[in-house]
Amino acid sequence: MSDYSAVGGVESYEWSRRDAARYNAALEAIDEAIACYTRLRNRAVSASNDAEAQRLQAEQAACVAEQHRLRADDRAGVDRVLAEYPALIAWLRDRIG
């Protein structure tokens, strides 16, 4: 039988401050990527480059979906985001200029 919290029947999960900080950092990294995609997409729309705007919107949507899937107890997922997103953000920022 699972241990459930008193809040809405959600399964409880024991995590440390380090886990919490890493999870929040992963969410912030995804947020930063989403913001970069927004800037690039707005630029593409302003330039009437519909194909680029749609491509960027799809990539941004993938980040949003990943953010919704990520769970605090998914240490492997958090590790992957923290490993991969800094390079993505740097690449996006280079494109922004």
Side-chain angles (χ1 to χ4, degrees), residues 2 7 14 16-18 23 28 32 36-37 40 43-44 48 62 67 71-72 74 76 85 89 96:
S2 295
V7 183
E14 295 268 340
S16 67
R17 287 186 179 176
R18 182 175 186 273
Y23 175 66
E28 288 177 18
E32 180 64 25
C36 289
Y37 277 120
L40 290 169
R43 185 183 295 170
S48 298
Q67 188 176 50
R71 298 287 174 251
D74 178 8
Y85 270 74
I89 292 165
I96 291 169

Side-chain angles (χ1 to χ4, degrees), residues 29-89:
I30 297 171
D31 278 340
E32 180 64 25
I34 291 168
C36 289
Y37 277 120
T38 298
R39 290 185 67 187
L40 290 169
R41 189 170 42 89
N42 289 344
R43 185 183 295 170
V45 168
S46 294
S48 298
N49 189 343
D50 294 336
E52 178 70 359
Q54 289 176 355
R55 186 186 67 73
L56 292 164
Q57 185 174 9
E59 291 178 15
Q60 182 182 46
C63 290
V64 171
E66 178 157 46
Q67 188 176 50
H68 289 165
R69 282 190 312 267
L70 191 63
R71 298 287 174 251
D73 61 348
D74 178 8
R75 287 188 174 123
V78 169
D79 288 345
R80 187 186 50 72
V81 167
L82 292 175
E84 293 175 5
Y85 270 74
L88 173 62
I89 292 165

